[in-house]
Amino acid sequence: MVRNLREVNRNGNGRRETKVVASLEDGVGVDEKASEITIKGLFYDFFGFSNIYQNLLSFLPKIPHSKEQESILRSSMAPKQRTPHATRNPDLIRGVGKYSRSKMYHKRGLWAIKAKHGGTFPRHEKKPADAPIAVKPPKFYPADDVKKPLVNKRKAKPTKLRASITPGTVLIILAGRFKGKRVVFLKQLTSGLLLVTGPFKINGVPLRRVNQSYVIATSTKVDIAGVNVDKFDDKYFSKQAEKKKKKGEGEFFEAEKEEKNQLPQEKKDDQKTLDAALVKSIECVPDLKSYLGARFSLKAGMKPHELVF
Amino acid sequence: MPFKRYVEIGRIALVNYGKDYGKLVVIVDVIDQNRALVDSPDMVRSQINFKRLTLTDIKIDINRVPKKKTLVAALEAADVKNKWESSSWGRKLIVQKKRASLNDFDKFKVMLAKIKKAGVVRQELAKLKKETTA
């Protein structure tokens, strides 16, 4: 029995070309290409051959060939009818396939065709999909179609700490109200900012956060062993939530302003305990206390690119 | 008026430009009017233009193009390193290098020391002034 109806043609280059027009397999289906050819055949058909094709097709059982339709069929019918797959081995040039014999063996799944599966590739039934939840129609349709911004799932990496900055390093702050102050580095917080303290008694710089970019790291280190910095994190430095202001008279506002300016006693105590241990280790090194108390400034003849900090 | 430092084999020179800036080298051969072959214990023997050299007072006794071992031995025998570091030129260079490598904290300490020294000097001066006027 002729399995495939082939069309032998001479294509534009004058070469012989064979195409499968229709094929009779066990579960008969019509090759996708066949339908293309039939349509094409109509255009190239100056001799009325398309009639022949159409008649032939009418004899074949009409089975849909699109993949969606196939899947519908599959769920309702026994899973045996398979349309033959277009070749899995594309031609690099005529006569030479892209994949080797062993690769094709794996691609076709011949390794899985076992007697225990009935001599065919094992297939599993599709799990019945859950019925879609009924969606209520929205109450409001916006007038214009607004484009949604693209989803951005990038996460910022924690700021890399310069190798020259280690706990106990003396830093020179370059900007802000404490510019020029020499200050002791304690640790890097999770936000990337550096936790720093004067110590407060020595130069008036409290426990503070400072950005790495606004700091020069000197090579002077202070022994920070006796200091516990675990309780300080970014939340410690966040602004206090403002109490709801009642819309009162001007007198009310003045009273509330005074309250805000006070530092909570807890923070003052934290500063004191931290500095106590730190000042002890600072006083062990001669001149270090007055060094931390002095401000840094550029003087005549100092070339920043030649300075060694 | 006459020249005192000559380009000759064994003359120690200071490199004043280029990759080997600041090194003391020995003139080991003269290539032509402008270039010399130059060698040092810590560099590969190479040619250098005279314009890149400053001659020093020190000269050692070597033959033309000695082997590295011989050169090192000759430098040791003439005690070039100590002669250089005790000369005023050599001492100046050492001080310059030290000052350039000072830490921020070191510079602070130097400043304190200067102020202290100036204070002491001023006290002594005041004493002397008092004596002369009195």
Side-chain angles (χ1 to χ4, degrees), chain A residues 228-245:
Chain A
N228 186 4
V229 259
D230 295 336
K231 69 178 288 202
F232 304 112
D233 59 350
D234 288 300
K235 261 200 274 182
Y236 182 88
F237 294 99
S238 63
K239 290 213 171 94
Q240 306 306 326
E242 286 188 20
K243 294 177 205 165
K244 283 195 183 167
K245 281 194 188 155

Side-chain angles (χ1 to χ4, degrees), chain A residues 12-267:
Chain A
N13 292 336
R15 298 221 177 106
R16 266 169 62 102
E17 221 174 47
T18 312
K19 287 179 197 158
V20 173
V21 172
S23 61
L24 295 171
E25 299 282 348
D26 282 338
V28 191
V30 173
D31 215 8
E32 286 170 28
K33 283 196 178 162
S35 60
E36 285 172 25
I37 288 172
T38 46
I39 295 169
K40 275 186 193 170
L42 281 170
F43 288 120
Y44 298 136
D45 177 30
F46 304 115
F47 304 103
F49 287 137
S50 62
N51 283 336
I52 300 170
Y53 294 159
Q54 301 281 38
N55 288 336
L56 260 169
L57 281 177
S58 68
F59 285 124
L60 298 168
K62 285 205 172 80
I63 287 179
H65 62 276
S66 77
K67 282 191 181 151
E68 294 152 2
Q69 292 168 314
E70 270 194 0
S71 64
I72 293 169
L73 267 180
R74 206 174 291 142
S75 52
S76 56
M77 288 176 11
K80 282 235 171 127
Q81 279 123 333
R82 303 271 165 214
T83 53
H85 199 284
T87 165
R88 295 175 218 263
N89 194 354
D91 273 355
L92 293 175
I93 52 169
R94 186 178 76 105
V96 179
K98 183 174 174 187
Y99 299 108
S100 66
R101 291 179 78 87
S102 53
K103 286 232 164 69
M104 283 313 297
Y105 175 82
H106 287 291
K107 266 170 125 28
R108 289 169 63 196
L110 298 178
W111 51 274
I113 295 178
K114 303 277 177 200
K116 61 179 172 178
H117 301 305
T120 54
F121 196 86
R123 289 193 185 266
H124 303 283
E125 286 291 335
K126 247 193 189 170
K127 274 190 225 158
D130 296 324
I133 305 163
V135 181
K136 270 176 34 185
K139 279 189 255 181
F140 173 72
Y141 290 97
D144 304 313
D145 276 332
V146 181
K147 272 195 176 173
K148 272 202 206 145
L150 292 173
V151 145
N152 183 4
K153 287 197 179 152
R154 285 182 170 169
K155 286 220 167 108
K157 280 200 246 183
T159 319
K160 192 171 176 194
L161 196 61
R162 266 182 270 159
S164 53
I165 303 180
T166 61
T169 314
V170 173
L171 307 174
I172 301 176
I173 297 182
L174 296 172
R177 64 180 287 214
F178 297 113
K179 53 177 158 295
K181 291 270 190 196
R182 296 172 172 119
V183 130
V184 177
F185 169 68
L186 297 173
K187 74 170 185 182
Q188 184 182 31
L189 302 168
T190 46
S191 64
L193 299 172
L194 313 180
L195 179 64
V196 130
T197 180
F200 187 69
K201 272 265 155 137
I202 297 179
N203 54 19
V205 179
L207 270 166
R208 204 166 200 265
R209 293 183 299 174
V210 131
N211 191 314
Q212 214 190 144
S213 310
Y214 297 96
V215 138
I216 293 179
T218 65
S219 48
T220 318
K221 313 271 180 201
V222 173
D223 182 25
I224 212 171
V227 164
N228 186 4
V229 259
D230 295 336
K231 69 178 288 202
F232 304 112
D233 59 350
D234 288 300
K235 261 200 274 182
Y236 182 88
F237 294 99
S238 63
K239 290 213 171 94
Q240 306 306 326
E242 286 188 20
K243 294 177 205 165
K244 283 195 183 167
K245 281 194 188 155
K246 286 188 199 163
K247 285 188 185 167
E249 310 279 324
E251 303 156 61
F252 282 140
F253 277 11
E254 281 174 36
E256 288 194 47
K257 263 192 198 168
E258 283 180 39
E259 282 180 45
K260 259 210 295 188
N261 283 341
Q262 279 295 344
L263 237 196
Q265 185 61 31
E266 191 196 313
K267 291 208 175 173

